[in-house]
Amino acid sequence: MLRVLAVDDEKPALEELLYLLRSDPRVRSAEGATDATEALRRIGRALEAGPDGEDAIDVVFLDIHMAGLTGLDVARLLAGFARPPLVVFVTAHEGFAVQAFDLKAVDYVLKPVRRERLAEAVRRVSDLSGPAPAAPAVAGQIPVELGGVTRFVPVDDIAYVEAQGDYARLHTDEGSHLVRIPLSTLEERWAARGFVRIHRSHLVALGRIDELRLDGGATTVRVGSAELSVSRRHARQLRELLMRHVRG
């Protein structure tokens, strides 16, 4: 059960966000702050109280554009603490996503906030707040935690992997699973299984790539229904690997 602080200097938007958060069964409590100064004061009390204290906060839902300090400023300050709360940005502006994820944000939700999209953000936070396995224990499989039950997912079932800070989200045809393993570790561990790095945020199973597209200098791949960007530094190597894979 999550303890949430929502921060937005527009009162109607804050009230709507709090209403949606309090409607989610995974949220124990949701309090609001109307500016960054108030938010930092509450977070400071929470950090002093510790994770079991009455004022504890598990996650902060942050607007970006606010008077005074912005949401990005708040996230940068939180990054200096040893055990800060998780951060989800809630904003009307698409252009700050890269900065947000560089600050290890769990998610980036665009306004107007849809109930289903917010529920997905809460699910991601909930996954990160709960226990997660530290490493694969069975050859060819990786353990994932599902509601207190450990399930072993075959590596061959994984189409691609998405970096989320020090965690990784494994995408299969049936859904996705979060594990407490950095993407760089999986890249090294699964190279022999045909996984290739295409971007700082994505690792892809070579045999699951359905389409490679070049458009105006930008390279993307389609993996099932997902379209993923390929960074320039990885594009040439990926094309060569795909050609070898096809010939093989």
Side-chain angles (χ1 to χ4, degrees):
M1 296 290 286
L2 298 171
R3 296 157 296 187
V4 178
L5 176 65
V7 188
D8 197 314
D9 62 353
E10 296 182 359
K11 191 171 181 180
L14 178 60
E15 290 177 349
E16 175 68 12
L17 180 58
L18 288 171
Y19 171 77
L20 293 174
L21 287 167
R22 289 166 181 163
S23 300
D24 193 302
R26 292 162 295 194
V27 174
R28 180 199 300 183
S29 62
E31 303 300 326
T34 54
D35 60 61
T37 301
E38 181 185 357
L40 289 169
R41 188 162 47 243
R42 292 196 186 189
I43 294 167
R45 288 202 306 265
L47 293 173
E48 287 177 7
D52 298 320
E54 290 185 5
D55 295 322
I57 297 171
D58 299 306
V59 56
V60 183
F61 283 76
L62 268 176
D63 188 20
I64 287 183
H65 281 295
M66 296 185 291
L69 292 175
T70 69
L72 293 171
D73 293 330
V74 173
R76 290 188 188 98
L77 290 170
L78 293 182
F81 291 95
R83 296 186 64 183
L86 299 172
V87 171
V88 172
F89 285 102
V90 183
T91 176
H93 304 276
E94 297 183 12
F96 296 96
V98 172
Q99 294 177 60
F101 287 114
D102 282 345
L103 291 167
K104 298 189 182 297
V106 176
D107 209 343
Y108 192 88
V109 180
L110 290 174
K111 297 178 181 179
V113 178
R114 295 182 293 108
R115 183 185 295 271
E116 297 80 6
R117 181 64 185 85
L118 187 64
E120 170 64 14
V122 171
R123 182 187 67 77
R124 292 185 177 189
V125 171
S126 184
D127 286 347
L128 288 170
S129 298
V138 179
Q141 296 179 318
I142 183 167
V144 299
E145 195 79 12
L146 295 170
V149 176
T150 300
R151 175 187 169 197
F152 290 90
V153 175
V155 175
D156 290 343
D157 287 354
I158 298 167
Y160 68 97
V161 187
E162 176 186 4
Q164 292 189 352
D166 294 330
Y167 294 73
R169 183 167 294 279
L170 315 175
H171 292 266
T172 70
D173 293 339
E174 287 73 36
S176 68
H177 311 282
L178 195 70
V179 294
R180 191 181 293 163
I181 307 174
L183 193 69
S184 57
T185 299
L186 294 179
E187 178 185 11
E188 180 180 349
R189 192 172 286 163
W190 291 350
R193 293 182 170 272
F195 281 82
V196 295
R197 191 74 167 258
I198 65 167
H199 190 275
R200 66 179 180 180
S201 300
H202 289 107
L203 187 67
V204 174
L206 201 63
R208 300 294 292 269
I209 294 176
D210 300 310
E211 182 179 278
L212 175 71
R213 178 175 296 178
L214 304 176
D215 186 8
T219 305
T220 59
V221 294
R222 184 171 58 81
V223 182
S225 61
E227 185 171 321
L228 308 174
S229 295
V230 181
S231 66
R232 289 187 178 182
R233 62 177 294 205
H234 294 103
R236 181 175 178 178
Q237 180 190 22
L238 177 62
R239 289 195 295 268
E240 292 175 353
L241 288 171
L242 281 171
M243 291 302 296
R244 290 182 206 162
H245 180 75
V246 170
R247 292 191 190 111

